[in-house]
């Protein structure tokens, strides 16, 4: 039986938010992420005599989500000159309540399972390139700990590599789920629209400096600087959304209230920083000693909040 491939989701501390090639998913900027232990996808692919089928959490998927998966697998089949129908069995261990996108773990696991199914041997760099072609952020989920996706200039040099797969840094990421509404605008559409902002180019010009500053802070195990750069970078991403022509935002009223609470907690000496992706929910960077206090503060202020405490997860792995 073919192997099940496990990939964890990752959260970008320096964001990918713009493509220079939509088909190949070549980014306009380099990004850096933390792979998370709590959220992952398990996927197995088998060749099938009875047609293509995609099972997610044991339910056969119709329509859009299956179409994207099969379009991706067709791309890989063409690349490796292989063919045949495929049955895909995926289990998502990303609680829908977490408000986290699962495309990073989903497409990294799919890339790994595809290679396993056809007996294609690839190294991690090649696997990262294949994962990137499914979803940009998936390129980083090949690795555990901290990963960097270098933007590169073409498909063969745009891949992620490990900065530190087993960090000893005390770093927790609290997923603060404020709102379970589906995304208002897909990441793909959001990052395209953001490029109409007058601040988009100046932001991209800062990318290399921001990335290098983050790498230095991680190497120095400097939690405060990591948090400050991550918060600034996320705010820059949401600033280019607000200033796009026409402007838009993923923020909801609760997002602003949560940002204010982070500011208040910091003023009280409870050190924490936020990052926000293409949705209304906050992810808080903090250290172990403050996890309980921050959780309590958010649970007190936000009645229906759901909070998950995550830390570093591992890279892609092969089960059974
Ligand atoms: C990131 N995000 O770096 C950024 C920050 C969301 C905000 O990558 O179009 O699902 O499939 O390449 O990877 C989400 O976008 O986009 C994302 P596609 P993806 O994590």
């Amino acid at each position: 039986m073919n192997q099940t491939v496990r990939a964890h989701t990752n959260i970008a501390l320096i964001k990918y938010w713009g493509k220079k090639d939509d088909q190949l998913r070549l980014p306009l900027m380099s990004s850096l992420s933390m792979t998370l232990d709590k959220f992952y996808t398990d996927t197995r692919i088998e060749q099938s005599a009875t047609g293509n089928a995609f099972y997610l959490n044991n339910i056969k998927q119709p329509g859009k989500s299956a179409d994207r998966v099969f379009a991706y697998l067709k791309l890989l089949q063409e690349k490796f000159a292989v063919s045949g129908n495929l049955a895909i069995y995926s289990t998502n261990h990303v609680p829908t309540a977490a408000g986290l996108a699962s495309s990073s773990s989903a497409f990294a696991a799919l890339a790994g399972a595809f290679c396993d199914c056809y007996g294609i041997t690839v190294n991690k760099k090649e696997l990262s390139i294949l994962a990137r072609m499914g979803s940009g952020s998936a390129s980083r989920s090949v690795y555990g700990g901290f990963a960097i996706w270098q933007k590169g200039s073409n498909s063969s040099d745009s891949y992620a590599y490990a900065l530190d797969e087993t960090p000893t840094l005390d770093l927790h990421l609290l997923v603060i789920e404020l709102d379970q509404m589906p995304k208002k605008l897909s990441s793909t559409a959001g990052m395209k629209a953001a490029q109409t902002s007058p601040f988009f180019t100046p932001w991209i010009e800062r990318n290399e400096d921001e990335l290098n500053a983050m790498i230095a802070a991680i190497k120095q195990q400097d939690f405060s600087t990591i948090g400050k750069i991550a918060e600034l970078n996320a705010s820059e991403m949401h600033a280019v959304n607000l200033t796009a022509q026409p402007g838009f935002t993923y923020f909801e009223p609760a997002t602003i209230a949560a940002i204010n609470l982070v500011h208040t907690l910091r003023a009280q000496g409870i050190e924490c920083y936020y990052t926000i992706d293409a949705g209304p929910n906050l992810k808080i960077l903090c250290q172990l000693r403050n996890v309980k206090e921050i959780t309590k503060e958010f649970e007190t202020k936000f009645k229906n909040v759901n909070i998950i405490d995550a830390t570093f997860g591992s890279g892609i792995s092969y089960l059974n």
Side-chain angles (χ1 to χ4, degrees):
M1 195 167 75
N2 296 348
Q3 292 185 98
T4 296
V5 178
R6 175 169 294 178
H8 289 78
T9 61
N10 71 74
I11 185 90
L13 305 183
I14 300 287
K15 308 290 187 193
Y16 148 55
W17 197 242
K19 295 180 180 76
K20 73 169 187 190
D21 185 312
D22 292 349
Q23 262 66 50
L24 289 170
R25 290 189 153 78
L26 298 179
L28 285 162
M29 66 286 278
S30 298
S31 54
L32 182 150
S33 61
M34 170 185 184
T35 301
L36 302 175
D37 58 349
K38 289 284 165 68
F39 316 104
Y40 54 92
T41 303
D42 289 339
T43 296
R44 181 168 56 85
I45 301 182
E46 287 175 3
Q47 299 197 55
S48 158
T50 54
N52 283 331
F54 172 38
Y55 297 90
L56 180 59
N57 302 331
N58 288 321
I59 298 166
K60 190 171 176 179
Q61 299 296 300
K64 246 190 168 183
S65 89
D67 290 348
R68 181 168 172 187
V69 165
F70 288 118
Y72 173 59
L73 293 174
K74 188 161 175 271
L75 194 76
L76 296 189
Q77 285 182 325
E78 284 165 6
K79 186 176 167 65
F80 290 100
V82 292
S83 59
N85 292 322
L86 297 172
I88 298 108
Y89 303 92
S90 270
T91 313
N92 239 350
H93 299 267
V94 184
T96 37
L100 269 180
S102 57
S103 71
S104 62
S105 58
F107 283 91
L110 266 176
F114 174 86
C115 292
D116 179 70
C117 172
Y118 285 104
I120 297 166
T121 306
V122 287
N123 60 29
K124 285 200 161 183
K125 173 182 133 181
E126 291 159 339
L127 190 57
S128 174
I129 290 172
L130 299 181
R132 186 207 77 221
M133 292 162 74
S135 189
S137 55
S139 65
R140 302 181 307 238
S141 276
V142 169
Y143 307 94
F146 288 114
I148 296 171
W149 174 15
Q150 61 179 28
K151 66 178 177 177
S153 56
N154 57 55
S155 192
S156 56
D157 67 1
S158 184
Y159 55 84
Y161 59 92
L163 175 63
D164 181 354
E165 290 225 76
T166 52
T168 52
L169 179 71
D170 174 6
L171 183 64
H172 282 248
L173 185 124
L174 304 180
V175 177
I176 310 285
E177 203 245 338
L178 302 158
D179 188 320
Q180 296 184 31
M181 298 295 282
K183 236 183 237 186
K184 279 191 290 197
L185 192 64
S186 72
S187 293
T188 301
M191 61 178 81
K192 203 173 190 74
Q195 291 179 46
T196 60
S197 163
F199 298 108
F200 190 80
T201 300
W203 181 40
I204 299 310
E205 285 168 0
R206 287 170 47 73
N207 175 244
E208 204 178 323
D209 286 348
E210 283 193 305
L211 181 70
N212 288 336
M214 182 62 93
I215 293 169
I218 288 170
K219 287 188 172 160
Q220 286 157 20
Q221 306 223 19
D222 179 350
F223 165 71
S224 303
T225 304
I226 292 169
K228 282 176 194 157
I229 298 170
E231 188 174 296
L232 175 59
N233 182 268
S235 302
E236 287 167 329
M237 173 188 140
H238 291 279
V240 295
N241 294 344
L242 279 166
T243 50
Q245 301 298 308
F248 65 99
T249 184
Y250 291 101
F251 290 5
E252 295 293 342
T255 313
I256 306 290
I259 288 173
N260 281 329
L261 181 53
V262 170
H263 293 160
T264 303
L265 290 171
R266 273 213 300 266
Q268 291 169 357
I270 301 167
E271 197 176 6
C272 56
Y273 302 90
Y274 64 81
T275 183
I276 306 174
D277 286 321
N281 298 315
L282 264 66
K283 287 99 184 182
I284 306 281
L285 294 162
C286 66
Q287 293 175 297
L288 177 61
R289 67 172 177 275
N290 287 323
V291 166
K292 273 194 186 138
E293 182 69 19
I294 295 166
T295 302
K296 196 184 87 200
E297 292 284 344
F298 273 92
E299 283 175 346
T300 306
K301 177 119 199 209
F302 298 89
K303 290 302 165 218
N304 296 316
V305 72
N306 181 42
I307 301 175
I308 300 172
D309 174 17
T311 186
F312 295 108
S314 51
I316 213 156
S317 61
Y318 297 82
L319 313 178
N320 63 55

